[in-house]
Amino acid sequence: MNGVFDLAGTDGIGPVIVPEHEPVFRAAWEKAVFPMFAMCFRAGFFGVDEFRHGIELIDPAVYLKSPYYEHWVHTVEHFGEKLGKLDMAELDRRTAHYLAKPEAPLPQHQDDPELLAFVEAVVPVGATAKRESDKAARFKVGDIVRVDRSAPKGHTRRARYIRGAVGEVVLAHGTFIYPDTAGNGLGEHPEHVYTVRFTNEELWGAEHAEPNGSVCFDVWDPYIELAGPAAANAEGAVA
Amino acid sequence: MSAKIRTQEEIAARVKALESMLIEQGVMTTQAIDRMVEIYEHEVGPQLGAKVVAKAWSDPEFKARLVEDASEACKELGISGLQGEDMFVVENTDDVHNIIVCTLCSCYPWPVLGLPPNWYKDPQYRAAITREPRKVLSDSFDFTVPESVEVRVWDSSSEMRYWVLPQRPAGTDGWSEERLAELVTRDSMIGVGPVAQVAS
C-alpha cells in the first residue's frame, strides 16, 4: 500500500536526533510489548509479513508521532480483533481500569514451562523465511532490470522510491516467503529474492543526487523485468 | 480515522490491559516476558557483532567464510537467531563505505547488534539516509566519508539482514581478538560511525 510508513526520500520531517545514551527499553510498558511479537506469533495472531501490515494500517499521524513500540500494540490489537481473539470492549474497559489505577495488579497466573522453553528455543534459532522451491530464477547477477510500477493496495515491499527505477542485480539469495501474498493472508508462495543496486542519480535525478553513491534494495522476482540490452534483444527477437 | 496521540500514561494503561488479556489466554506469562527482556537487555547486543568483526580482522579464512555466508560463519561463534536467520555482511573497502537502513519499518540484525537504537527506527533516519546519506552522517553523527569513496546504502526490504564489516584500523598489528573487539562500535557495524580511534 502507498502508506506514510514508506518513508525513503520523504523530505521535511526534521533532523536525525541521536541521544548520547539510551536504555534498550525506555519504559516498563515497552518491556511488556516487546515479547508480544514472538508470543503472539506463537499463538497464531500473525506471521511477520502480516505483523508489518498491521503496523502499516495505523493512522499516519499516529504512526509518525507515537513511540516505536506503540506500533506493535496496534498490530497485536488489529489481528486480535480480526481473528476474534480480543474483545475490544473488554480491552477498553480494562484500559480505563488501569488508567484509573496504574498500580493495579495483573491477573494471577501460573508459570508456563512450555512458553519459557519457546523463548529459549526461538531466540537463538529464529524462524527463517527461506523456503525450498523448484521455481526457476528469471534473473541472474549482472542483469539490468527495471522495477515495475505496480502499486498494490495490500501489503507489499515495493517501496515507492524504487518503482520504475533501473538497476543492476548484484546478489541472488534463493527463494523466500513472498510478502505480497503472505502479508495479505494468502499464503507463502515463495519467490526468488535479489539485491538490485540503483545509482543515486537514477533514484533522485542528477541535479538532486549526492555524488558517488548507490542504494541496494531487495526485490522479489515478480517485482522486476529485464531492462537494457537483454530486454532489447528479446524484443528484437519477437519483431 | 481519529488521530489521537496518546500520553505515556495512556499507552501504559492500554498495554497493561492488553497484557492482562493475553495472560488470561495463556499467550504470555510474566516469567516469559521477563526472560525475553533479560536476553535483549543483557545477553544479545553489539558486543557479539564486535567479536565477529575482530575474528574476521584476525583470521582471513574466517573472513572469507563470513563474506560468503554470514549466518553460517556466525554460528561457528555460537551467534545466531531471531531476526538474523539470513544475514549478509557488507565489507567496507578503500572504495566503498556501506550503511544499513530499513526504510519500510525497522529491520535490523538482532543476533549481532541486539535491538536497534530508537533513531534507527524513527522516521527521520529512514526518510533521509537513502536520499542524502553523506549529509545525515555529517549532520547527526559527525562522521565524514571522503567523496572519492562510494557511499552504498543497504535497504533491508527482505528478510536478508545486512550489516557492515568495517575496515581494520592501522596501528593494530599483533593485537588480540579481545583487544580488537573493543574498537568495534555498534555505529561502525551500522555504517554511521567509525571504529574507535587507536591512540598513536
Side-chain angles (χ1 to χ4, degrees), chain A residues 9 11 16 22 29 52 63 68 77 85 92 94 104 120 124 127-128 157 161 195 210 214 216 218, chain B residues 8 14 16 20 24-25 35 80 82 85-86 106 118 126-127 131 134 140 150 153 155 157-159 162:
Chain A
D11 296 318
V16 180
E22 66 177 6
W29 68 263
R52 292 194 184 107
Y63 181 90
Y68 174 75
E77 285 187 24
K85 291 171 182 284
D92 286 343
R94 292 190 190 203
E120 300 292 358
T128 184
R157 300 292 272 180
Y161 80 113
T195 303
E210 278 190 357
S214 63
C216 290
D218 289 350
Chain B
Q8 282 285 316
R14 187 68 170 182
K16 202 161 179 183
S20 75
E24 285 178 2
Q25 291 179 27
R35 178 62 190 133
S80 64
L82 206 55
E85 294 87 350
D86 298 282
S106 57
N118 280 288
R126 292 162 47 201
R131 178 152 165 80
R134 291 176 193 272
S140 297
E150 179 193 331
V153 178
D155 190 348
S157 49
S158 78
E159 296 306 324
Y162 300 96

Side-chain angles (χ1 to χ4, degrees), chain B:
Chain B
M1 286 186 180
S2 62
K4 185 176 184 310
I5 309 299
R6 292 166 169 157
T7 64
Q8 282 285 316
E9 291 71 22
E10 287 167 338
I11 302 171
R14 187 68 170 182
V15 168
K16 202 161 179 183
L18 185 57
E19 191 183 2
S20 75
M21 292 176 77
L22 294 173
I23 283 172
E24 285 178 2
Q25 291 179 27
V27 171
M28 303 175 84
T29 61
T30 51
Q31 184 197 35
I33 291 169
D34 291 347
R35 178 62 190 133
M36 193 99 188
V37 166
E38 182 184 36
I39 291 171
Y40 287 98
E41 278 189 330
H42 301 293
E43 295 172 25
V44 177
Q47 78 282 358
L48 298 178
K51 199 169 138 185
V52 179
V53 169
K55 186 165 180 65
W57 284 348
S58 309
D59 178 347
E61 289 177 4
F62 176 77
K63 182 178 145 184
R65 295 197 296 278
L66 182 68
V67 170
E68 175 68 27
D69 186 335
S71 300
E72 282 305 311
C74 286
K75 279 178 196 164
E76 295 176 28
L77 305 181
I79 296 167
S80 64
L82 206 55
Q83 283 299 307
E85 294 87 350
D86 298 282
M87 297 192 287
F88 193 93
V89 159
V90 287
E91 184 185 1
N92 285 349
T93 65
D94 290 343
D95 300 320
V96 179
H97 177 85
N98 297 286
I99 304 171
I100 60 166
V101 65
C102 172
T103 68
L104 292 171
C105 45
S106 57
C107 301
Y108 191 73
W110 295 2
V112 286
L113 296 185
L115 300 183
N118 280 288
W119 59 258
Y120 181 91
K121 304 179 286 190
D122 284 342
Q124 291 76 14
Y125 178 77
R126 292 162 47 201
I129 197 70
T130 60
R131 178 152 165 80
E132 41 187 11
R134 291 176 193 272
K135 186 172 188 313
V136 172
L137 294 194
S138 151
D139 288 357
S140 297
F141 296 91
D142 196 22
F143 181 51
T144 305
V145 178
E147 284 224 358
S148 60
V149 177
E150 179 193 331
V151 169
R152 192 175 291 175
V153 178
W154 294 78
D155 190 348
S156 314
S157 49
S158 78
E159 296 306 324
M160 295 302 302
R161 291 288 168 271
Y162 300 96
W163 57 285
V164 178
L165 175 58
Q167 284 184 289
R168 178 172 178 163
T172 58
D173 289 353
W175 284 32
S176 70
E177 284 180 29
E178 292 71 23
R179 199 170 165 210
L180 286 170
E182 287 172 17
L183 298 177
V184 184
T185 62
R186 177 197 69 200
D187 285 3
S188 72
M189 293 181 280
I190 299 174
V192 296
V195 296
Q197 298 302 301
V198 178
S200 52

